[in-house]
Amino acid sequence: MIPVWLVSILHVVSVASAVVILVAMGVMAWRGWRARH
Amino acid sequence: MFDPLLAELSFTGRTWELTTLAVYLGGLLWIGLRSAREIHTVDDYTVAGRGMPWIIVLATTAATMVGGGASIGYVGKCYSIGIAAAVITCAWHLQLIFTGVFLAPRLRGMGLVTVAQYVDRHYGEVARRIAVVSGAVFLVGALVAQMAAIGTVTELVLGIPGQWAVLLGGAVVVLYSTVGGIRAVVKTDVLQFVVLVAGIGGASAWLLWKHGGWSGLAAHPEVGSESFNLTSHWSTTRLVTLFGAFLLGEMMVPPYAVRCFIARDESAARRGVAGGGVFLLLFLPVATFTLGMASRAEPRVQQEVQREYQELQASNRVTREKQLAEIEDPAARAVRVAEFESADRGQAGQLAFPVLMRTTFPPWLAGVMIAAVIAAVMSSADSCLSCLATSVMEDVYRVHIDPQADDRRLLQVARWTTVLAGVLSAICALIWSNIADILEFIYDFWAPSMVLPFIVGAFCYRRHQAKAVVASMIAGPLATAVWRFALEAPLDISPGFFGAGFAAIVYLLGCLFLGRPSEPVPAGADGSDGAGEEQS
């Protein structure tokens, strides 16, 4: 049995990791665009 | 599939969905066609000039990992059996981390283009041929499965007939993969990764907020504490062997190996592939479990899944009654009845996510989610197509037909292979549409033949043991076939897991009886660490 509180924490980690990776990709895309123009 | 729902959908909602899909497909084509301008050499087409930074390798690896099975399929599984389904998918991501940390830098350092070249350098020509055949079986099977998934997913989600969806989606994938090669595949993967993460992540967060967090969702009568129990539906043996089969079944398959080859350097390969595994491990299992449980909490999803389950039972009744009549032992008959019910529940559960999208999300979010799911499937299909073209060009044409061929000729071969493989796989997908069966079959046969050569090559390579590895590459798939077809996979042990174990035993016996160690091999000359020169 996996406790609900653990799933709850893991979900926060899940959403946070999605936000972090999307922001990181956005920053790198912006830098790449700036470097080309 | 669920016409009543489509009939209820407002004109605005439908317009939103179709517009999002059209914009998305148009975007893919635009990116793919632009990539064609960057293709000048065979290396550009097959390994994107080996210049990809780690974050792009991460995005393309993750997008390739998440196909129709890992999205719609495992949301449905979580809906049906609870958290155990999410936990076993962790095995996929753990194998990516293992591959990234231990294998990716070595593969990148060797300057390879295909998996068979790695096997050739370590174990010789016979092993190379087995690797080419294993790779081709895997890629063709995976390609047909993903093409079929394009049709199934689009039919489930949009109500467009599956055949048309296969032809339209297949045409888009084939077009951008043909003109742009792996460059187009990687660039479209990045777009697909962003759409997928934003869609699935946003939807899981929004649904959880709607249900008052996990405490609210867990308290829902349809969710219940059994959903959090790992062994409520599967025995511990089944759970462990399935985890093992998932861990080994996709290890070093050509689409992941190519992600190692395209990296800028060894560090980018390690960070990109392992980073993709870490990200997916943190992100995907919980997100799919959340979507599965949120589906259970929606009465409309329950109704539609139950209706589908009853329809499946009715349509299969006659065939199954014949099969059951042939079984005399009442206990065996009861087991078979339970298997039929479980199969129907599993198949009906596939509807959970599409119905959830349509009934719960606002039209704009449903549109994004539809694009995300189709992105998941297309990004897996294009990778298989690209790897198949590369393998035919490098492992077959360049080795057996015209070793002196120039870049122009090789590019022609790769492009024509892409077109032909795409068209034939779309036709096969119209005939064989059972995605789960195709995928299960190819996973079962990849691990027993190909995982051990990579692990031995990375950790304990000795040239005199090559015969033992070749023997294991032959014995593993044979043992899998016997376990699967002749014995019908007894003891709840999956065929792939059994075959991989058998291959390991054959390898150990082969080390004892085949070949003897001769003189010690100088460091760096045995192919174990970055063997070989960078291929021009």
Side-chain angles (χ1 to χ4, degrees):
Chain A
M1 188 74 82
I2 294 181
V4 175
W5 60 263
L6 180 59
V7 178
S8 192
I9 291 171
L10 289 173
H11 189 259
V12 173
V13 173
S14 166
V15 174
S17 64
V19 172
V20 167
I21 201 79
L22 290 177
V23 169
M25 294 198 71
V27 169
M28 293 196 80
W30 170 249
R31 281 186 187 164
W33 188 83
R34 285 287 299 271
R36 281 197 300 274
H37 295 86
Chain B
M1 191 69 78
F2 44 102
D3 295 333
L5 275 179
L6 279 175
E8 288 171 23
L9 197 66
S10 68
F11 176 75
T12 316
R14 185 98 177 124
T15 309
W16 260 109
E17 290 179 359
L18 293 175
T19 307
T20 311
L21 186 64
V23 168
Y24 174 67
L25 291 179
L28 286 180
L29 269 179
W30 182 73
I31 292 171
L33 295 175
R34 271 177 65 90
S35 305
R37 297 190 304 194
E38 298 167 34
I39 305 295
H40 306 294
T41 65
V42 169
D43 263 10
D44 289 333
Y45 195 83
T46 56
V47 287
R50 299 189 202 276
M52 293 295 157
W54 72 270
I55 196 148
I56 301 295
V57 177
L58 183 155
T60 182
T61 306
T64 304
M65 167 81 249
V66 184
S71 51
I72 280 204
Y74 268 83
V75 171
K77 277 266 189 222
C78 288
Y79 171 88
S80 305
I81 68 169
I83 202 161
V87 169
I88 60 162
T89 62
C90 293
W92 286 331
H93 316 318
L94 288 172
Q95 70 83 15
L96 270 186
I97 297 172
F98 175 86
T99 303
V101 172
F102 296 109
L103 301 175
R106 295 166 196 261
L107 286 172
R108 176 60 188 87
M110 291 172 76
L112 306 171
V113 178
T114 68
V115 165
Q117 290 174 346
Y118 177 89
V119 175
D120 183 31
R121 287 199 197 179
H122 286 79
Y123 311 110
E125 177 62 17
V126 176
R128 188 191 75 83
R129 289 181 185 226
I130 298 172
V132 171
V133 173
S134 294
V137 169
F138 181 90
L139 289 169
V140 169
L143 187 56
V144 172
Q146 295 302 337
M147 285 284 187
I150 290 175
T152 309
V153 166
T154 316
E155 186 168 319
L156 281 175
V157 175
L158 284 174
I160 295 171
Q163 298 90 325
W164 289 108
V166 168
L167 295 176
L168 178 65
V172 171
V173 171
V174 169
L175 188 57
Y176 73 69
S177 302
T178 304
V179 296
I182 193 75
R183 269 192 193 279
V185 169
V186 168
K187 286 187 176 183
T188 51
D189 275 359
V190 172
L191 173 66
Q192 286 157 345
F193 174 78
V194 170
V195 172
L196 202 143
V197 171
I200 290 182
S204 76
W206 186 73
L207 283 166
L208 208 56
W209 170 78
K210 190 181 161 207
H211 287 283
W214 266 108
S215 49
L217 193 55
H220 195 282
E222 293 294 340
V223 174
S225 60
E226 277 298 283
S227 305
F228 295 84
N229 186 354
L230 277 172
T231 51
S232 60
H233 284 74
W234 286 335
S235 67
T236 308
T237 314
R238 181 154 176 77
L239 202 64
V240 170
T241 62
L242 264 179
F243 194 89
F246 275 41
L247 195 67
L248 301 173
E250 284 203 10
M251 189 173 282
M252 287 315 301
V253 294
Y256 300 148
V258 168
R259 268 65 198 171
C260 307
F261 305 152
I262 63 172
R264 182 180 286 166
D265 50 31
E266 284 96 328
S267 170
R270 179 190 288 119
R271 291 167 74 188
V273 176
V278 170
F279 169 70
L280 287 176
L281 188 63
L282 295 176
F283 171 68
L284 201 61
V286 183
T288 48
F289 181 57
T290 308
L291 293 173
M293 291 304 101
S295 305
R296 270 204 204 169
E298 291 294 332
R300 193 61 195 269
V301 178
Q302 293 268 4
Q303 283 170 18
E304 290 298 327
V305 173
Q306 185 60 25
R307 190 175 63 79
E308 176 71 7
Y309 172 68
Q310 285 164 352
E311 279 181 14
L312 281 170
Q313 284 217 310
S315 63
N316 292 326
R317 183 164 293 138
V318 177
T319 330
R320 285 173 178 177
E321 278 174 358
K322 277 184 192 166
Q323 290 176 16
L324 290 173
E326 291 168 8
I327 304 173
E328 290 175 5
D329 180 12
R333 196 180 303 136
V335 169
R336 185 53 67 92
V337 169
E339 283 174 2
F340 287 151
E341 282 181 6
S342 171
D344 286 346
R345 288 207 182 280
Q347 198 174 335
Q350 307 284 310
L351 267 183
F353 192 25
V355 179
L356 181 76
M357 283 189 237
R358 178 151 287 138
T359 54
T360 316
F361 298 157
W364 65 271
L365 185 55
V368 173
M369 286 306 302
I370 287 166
V373 169
I374 292 171
V377 184
M378 289 176 86
S379 60
S380 300
D382 63 18
S383 295
C384 294
L385 202 52
S386 166
C387 290
L388 195 58
T390 303
S391 179
V392 168
M393 182 188 77
E394 286 289 340
D395 298 328
V396 180
Y397 191 83
R398 207 204 279 262
V399 173
H400 297 292
I401 298 173
D402 185 2
Q404 306 303 325
D406 59 13
D407 271 16
R408 195 170 151 272
R409 180 75 192 137
L410 291 171
L411 275 175
Q412 278 179 343
V413 171
R415 285 191 162 128
W416 276 110
T417 307
T418 309
V419 172
L420 280 176
V423 171
L424 289 176
S425 63
I427 292 169
C428 290
L430 296 176
I431 301 166
W432 297 291
S433 58
N434 195 328
I435 305 157
D437 279 0
I438 302 170
L439 286 176
E440 197 181 315
F441 182 84
I442 60 170
Y443 289 161
D444 276 349
F445 283 90
W446 174 262
S449 64
M450 292 302 296
V451 170
L452 192 122
F454 275 103
I455 291 177
V456 170
F459 296 111
C460 51
Y461 178 72
R462 299 286 181 277
R463 193 175 290 280
H464 68 272
Q465 292 171 352
K467 283 182 187 168
V469 173
V470 173
S472 80
M473 291 173 78
I474 297 167
L478 289 177
T480 306
V482 171
W483 193 257
R484 183 188 172 99
F485 297 115
L487 303 175
E488 296 187 344
L491 307 174
D492 255 2
I493 296 174
S494 77
F497 192 74
F498 175 81
F502 191 82
I505 292 168
V506 169
Y507 166 71
L508 292 173
L509 291 174
C511 288
L512 288 175
F513 299 112
L514 296 173
R516 291 272 182 276
S518 52
E519 293 176 5
V521 181
D526 62 351
S528 58
D529 282 307
E533 306 292 318
E534 182 85 16
Q535 189 164 322
S536 59

